[in-house]
Amino acid sequence: QVQLVESGGGLVQAGGSLRLSCAASGRTFRPYAMGWFRQAPGKEREFVAAISWIGGFTLYADSVKGRFTISTNNAAKTVSLQMNSLKPEDTGVYYCAAGSRMSDSFSEYDYWGQGTQVAVSS
């Protein structure tokens, strides 16, 4: 069993920054990649960023390129999402996910956290 627990969400003004973290645990934890997705009210879940545990290869949604940075701490089994220059349209519940391949599709991820709320005011 794999558990993912997100933290770091909150309320911030437009232009501000937040750092999300996801702690992974479980004896069988052997995913290849970690991803962040978000879901705004009334909208479908969308891809934000992904990273591979080995090699640190990254993938970003066009909407966050240059503003968000995903990173891992392999020893601590944590993945972080540094979000800068936040916009109101970044508002939503942010989910951490683990999967066997790096992808922008939520169907490729097998394990999900419970989500953390991010709200950006204008």
Side-chain angles (χ1 to χ4, degrees):
Q1 188 70 17
V2 174
Q3 294 85 37
L4 302 175
V5 179
E6 303 97 334
S7 62
L11 173 64
V12 64
Q13 289 188 330
S17 298
L18 280 175
R19 185 177 181 87
L20 306 182
S21 292
C22 174
S25 62
R27 287 189 294 178
T28 59
F29 185 74
R30 293 287 188 274
Y32 175 78
M34 300 292 293
W36 285 97
F37 289 75
R38 66 188 181 190
Q39 188 166 18
K43 294 188 177 181
E44 293 186 349
R45 191 169 300 191
E46 66 173 357
F47 170 75
V48 176
I51 188 168
S52 62
W53 283 109
I54 299 175
F57 301 105
T58 58
L59 182 66
Y60 292 96
D62 288 343
S63 60
V64 306
K65 279 181 182 176
R67 300 188 298 123
F68 291 11
T69 302
I70 189 171
S71 61
T72 60
N73 181 323
N74 288 22
K77 288 188 184 177
T78 59
V79 58
S80 298
L81 185 68
Q82 177 66 42
M83 306 186 295
N84 299 328
S85 302
L86 283 161
K87 304 176 182 180
E89 50 264 43
D90 294 319
T91 294
V93 178
Y94 281 68
Y95 297 91
C96 173
S100 57
R101 63 186 292 263
M102 195 165 67
S103 171
D104 60 359
S105 172
F106 68 83
S107 64
E108 296 287 349
Y109 294 84
D110 304 307
Y111 302 99
W112 293 83
Q114 82 289 348
T116 185
Q117 178 72 52
V118 171
V120 184
S121 62
S122 57

